[in-house]
Amino acid sequence: MTRFTQAELEAARDRLVPDVVADGLDVLFCGINPGLMTAATGHHFARPGNRFWPVLHLSGFTPRLLRPAEQGRLPSLGLGITNVVARATARADELGAEEYREGGRLLALKVARLEPRFLAVVGVTAYRAAFGDRLAQVGPQERTFGRTRVWVLPNPSGLNAHWTAATMAEEYARLREAARGGGEHGRGVHGGGEHGQGEHGGGVSTGPRP
């Protein structure tokens, strides 16, 4: 992995990182907001120690462990990545309540346009802040966006000590099984080879962003 100086990372602050999306995905994963490493590289969940990519593999979503730089393979597996808030910060607590609410509003519009089968928000505190649901817990939600179902997953940040990679993988696998049962739209969630052409209970960390 490319090494960056702290000055180079700080230069990435507020940078926007493109989504990895396509129409009609099985699962659109939604992080809190990009960390500085993600902003510097353009690769989601790029910070060393972030467990998103290992957990994605352990839970059966990907046929092998993908590197952040291989994020472009996800749509061929029926998967994508976006964020609640688009701008990059060093810490999640740099985001304000209004920024979360506006992020939730824009996310709902994005989901309505892309129509994934599931929106999976990785971080229960981020979900609560974005959608005003103070009682939400990790797992499937009653809320839907059109035909898109919503699932809250644990935050894969290495700072989220309440969840191990193994216990996170179990929760991610629950989502995979739910998506797998969706019939004609199931692609990468079936756990075979690749198809097509080839960031604490899921809460918002107040430490460095993944």
Side-chain angles (χ1 to χ4, degrees), residues 1 5 10 22 40 53 61 74 82 100 104 159 165 190 210:
M1 173 180 288
T5 65
E10 286 296 327
W53 297 100
F61 272 111
L74 290 180
T82 187
Y100 274 115
L159 299 171
H190 290 272

Side-chain angles (χ1 to χ4, degrees), residues 75-96:
S76 70
L77 298 171
L79 309 174
I81 302 176
T82 187
N83 287 285
V84 174
V85 177
R87 75 179 183 94
T89 62
R91 300 167 63 95
D93 59 6
E94 294 178 39
L95 303 175

Side-chain angles (χ1 to χ4, degrees), residues 19 29-34 44 81-87 95-108 110 119-123 125-131 204 209:
D19 293 338
F29 293 96
C30 181
I32 301 167
N33 75 308
H44 292 271
I81 302 176
T82 187
N83 287 285
V84 174
V85 177
R87 75 179 183 94
L95 303 175
E98 182 55 37
E99 201 163 9
Y100 274 115
R101 287 192 291 269
E102 177 64 7
R105 186 185 72 82
L106 295 176
L107 178 61
K110 184 182 302 182
L119 171 69
V121 180
V122 294
T125 306
Y127 176 80
R128 291 170 179 168
F131 297 108
V204 176
R209 300 292 302 115

